[in-house]
Amino acid sequence: MTVGTDSPAQARSAAPHAPEQPGAGPEPPESGRPQPEPATIAGSASAEPAASAASLGFAGLDPDDLPDGLVIADETGRVVSFNAAAARITAVPGDRALGLPLDRALPLEDLKGRRWWALTDPYGGLSTRRGQPERNLLLPGGREVLVSARYVREHPTGPVRRVVVSLRGTEARRRTERSHAELIATVAHELRSPLTSVKGFTATLLDKWERFNDEQKRLMLETVDADAGRIKRLIAELLDISRIDSGRLEVRRQPVDIAAAVGRHIQVHITGGQSPDRFFVRIRPRLPALWADPDKIDQILGNLLENAVRHGDGTVTIEVAPTTLGDDGEEGTEVTVRDEGPGIPEASMSRVFTRFWRGSKRGGTGLGLYIVKGVVEAHGGTITVGRGPRGGAEFRFILPVGTPAHLL
């Protein structure tokens, strides 16, 4: 292992509708509240009576600005607003839906094929009902859509004055479900191999203990211990992913000597058979005091060095330098890990920190760099990937000093 130091100057910064009521007009204004001038809401039919934007909850807002589908039916059960997102999700032109009864504009069915508006009966059902929670329903042709509804009443048990329906596509939910299914499949595959090994060796030892000498027994138990460690690491990765996705990853800050941590990880690789000459460490002077979670820092360094050793070639360079963050000049520590291998294709750069990304087919779950990014960001830092001076992969993460508030 080669260690280099440099001067500070060299440091880099690095439903069915209600009966129609002839002559029904807009709702009376609420007493004591100034009312805007009547205006036809965006997307409403010209044949319908004009309704004020404020009375329908759209003061200063165009329904087409909403990202989700929005359908509003008046007290007669006819559609008075059908925004652009609703037209996109349902494939029904907005001008065709306006003025139609709600159950014709949105002919929804539940997953058993029953007509949803007939089941829920918003205008004639229980007078205490306030709406319907989000659920999966079917549009004509069997296309799924997420639907929720709100029944607007002037009084808690009064007649329904408006039915407000929200529509969302199911694509995002399906992507999440596919991601979860892929995670389960990956974990099951990764667990199967070490569990099979553990089960096989323990069963063999229990069944034929007296047939093996001490050296053979030790070899089997060492294999069992290594596979058990692999299972433990995989479970720890799953727990980290769960905490990262839910925003519950805890960081227990303590003073961390990051230069010493780098040295420890390099020593592990040297003990495992790597040549000391493969590593070059450059520690810049005047590093700021770093407060971070020591276990999480070990996790970051372990993943990045493992990737460089396993997937890269040539010398692995680790550089630790002081830096500044943001416009306020906050102090921080910058750590760069680079190798001299083939590097990461330009087309893959944007996917490096996503789940299941693998730089090669040489094993691994593809979760390590996703976890590294989550841990760095939990510290308030950033991490980037690029191409090193000699073509290999270069990972650089920056951590703020992170001094606890009570010590400032």
Side-chain angles (χ1 to χ4, degrees), residues 27-36 154-155:
E27 297 180 35
E30 297 179 20
S31 60
R33 178 180 298 177
Q35 298 296 314
E154 288 182 344
H155 308 289

Side-chain angles (χ1 to χ4, degrees), residues 150-167:
R150 170 80 183 277
Y151 305 157
V152 181
R153 308 175 189 267
E154 288 182 344
H155 308 289
T157 58
V160 173
R161 305 294 291 176
R162 291 188 300 277
V163 175
V164 182
V165 183
S166 174
L167 305 174

Side-chain angles (χ1 to χ4, degrees), residues 4-155:
T5 60
D6 291 282
S7 66
Q10 294 174 301
R12 294 190 328 219
S13 63
H17 61 282
E20 188 169 356
Q21 302 173 9
E27 297 180 35
E30 297 179 20
S31 60
R33 178 180 298 177
Q35 298 296 314
E37 291 294 323
T40 302
I41 65 171
S44 62
S46 59
E48 292 295 313
S52 71
S55 69
L56 290 176
F58 288 122
L61 175 66
D62 186 339
D64 288 343
D65 294 337
L66 299 174
D68 293 337
L70 176 71
V71 180
I72 301 177
D74 63 11
E75 59 188 358
T76 71
R78 293 184 179 274
V79 173
V80 295
S81 183
F82 201 91
N83 74 347
R88 173 179 52 79
I89 292 170
T90 63
V92 175
D95 55 355
R96 185 188 302 175
L98 292 171
L100 290 178
L102 187 56
D103 59 341
R104 287 179 56 193
L106 278 179
L108 297 167
E109 296 181 351
D110 66 10
L111 300 183
K112 295 182 180 179
R114 298 173 297 185
R115 297 176 62 189
W116 192 60
W117 295 116
L119 289 174
T120 57
D121 192 12
Y123 292 94
L126 292 174
S127 61
T128 57
R129 187 170 292 164
R130 302 178 63 181
Q132 296 292 333
E134 186 176 74
R135 65 191 64 197
N136 274 39
L137 296 175
L138 300 176
L139 291 166
R143 191 152 48 94
E144 287 190 28
V145 63
L146 298 171
V147 181
S148 58
R150 170 80 183 277
Y151 305 157
V152 181
R153 308 175 189 267
E154 288 182 344
H155 308 289

Side-chain angles (χ1 to χ4, degrees), residues 56-321:
L56 290 176
F58 288 122
L61 175 66
D62 186 339
D64 288 343
D65 294 337
L66 299 174
D68 293 337
L70 176 71
V71 180
I72 301 177
D74 63 11
E75 59 188 358
T76 71
R78 293 184 179 274
V79 173
V80 295
S81 183
F82 201 91
N83 74 347
R88 173 179 52 79
I89 292 170
T90 63
V92 175
D95 55 355
R96 185 188 302 175
L98 292 171
L100 290 178
L102 187 56
D103 59 341
R104 287 179 56 193
L106 278 179
L108 297 167
E109 296 181 351
D110 66 10
L111 300 183
K112 295 182 180 179
R114 298 173 297 185
R115 297 176 62 189
W116 192 60
W117 295 116
L119 289 174
T120 57
D121 192 12
Y123 292 94
L126 292 174
S127 61
T128 57
R129 187 170 292 164
R130 302 178 63 181
Q132 296 292 333
E134 186 176 74
R135 65 191 64 197
N136 274 39
L137 296 175
L138 300 176
L139 291 166
R143 191 152 48 94
E144 287 190 28
V145 63
L146 298 171
V147 181
S148 58
R150 170 80 183 277
Y151 305 157
V152 181
R153 308 175 189 267
E154 288 182 344
H155 308 289
T157 58
V160 173
R161 305 294 291 176
R162 291 188 300 277
V163 175
V164 182
V165 183
S166 174
L167 305 174
R168 291 195 297 127
T170 59
E171 293 82 3
R173 179 173 291 186
R174 289 190 178 278
R175 284 195 298 268
T176 300
E177 290 173 351
R178 284 195 298 268
S179 177
H180 289 166
E182 189 174 359
L183 177 62
I184 292 171
T186 299
V187 171
H189 175 76
E190 292 294 326
L191 285 173
R192 182 180 301 167
S193 176
L195 283 176
T196 299
S197 173
V198 168
K199 176 63 178 175
F201 277 116
T202 53
T204 300
L205 285 171
L206 290 171
D207 188 46
K208 303 176 180 179
W209 179 267
E210 68 283 350
R211 298 187 184 183
F212 299 106
N213 58 38
D214 289 345
E215 188 61 30
Q216 291 172 324
K217 292 174 182 176
R218 175 179 292 277
L219 179 60
M220 290 184 182
L221 289 174
E222 286 175 348
T223 304
V224 169
D225 182 67
D227 286 332
R230 180 178 168 189
I231 294 171
K232 183 180 178 181
R233 287 191 299 273
L234 181 58
I235 292 173
E237 286 184 348
L238 293 176
L239 291 173
D240 284 335
I241 287 175
S242 174
R243 294 179 183 122
I244 290 169
D245 288 347
S246 63
R248 295 185 294 106
L249 186 65
E250 295 182 2
V251 175
R252 296 180 172 87
R253 296 185 185 272
Q254 302 174 32
V256 173
D257 186 343
I258 196 164
V262 169
R264 289 197 306 272
H265 282 275
I266 291 176
Q267 191 58 46
V268 169
H269 286 284
I270 293 173
T271 304
Q274 293 293 326
S275 169
D277 294 334
R278 189 173 183 192
F279 301 95
F280 177 80
V281 180
R282 177 183 288 116
I283 308 296
R284 306 284 189 176
R286 300 179 184 175
L287 293 176
L290 176 65
W291 286 74
D293 189 318
D295 293 335
K296 299 291 189 294
I297 296 299
D298 282 340
Q299 196 171 16
I300 296 169
L301 294 173
N303 270 289
L304 295 182
L305 283 170
E306 179 71 21
N307 279 344
V309 170
R310 178 182 295 183
H311 303 294
D313 294 319
T315 300
V316 176
T317 300
I318 305 96
E319 183 174 356
V320 183

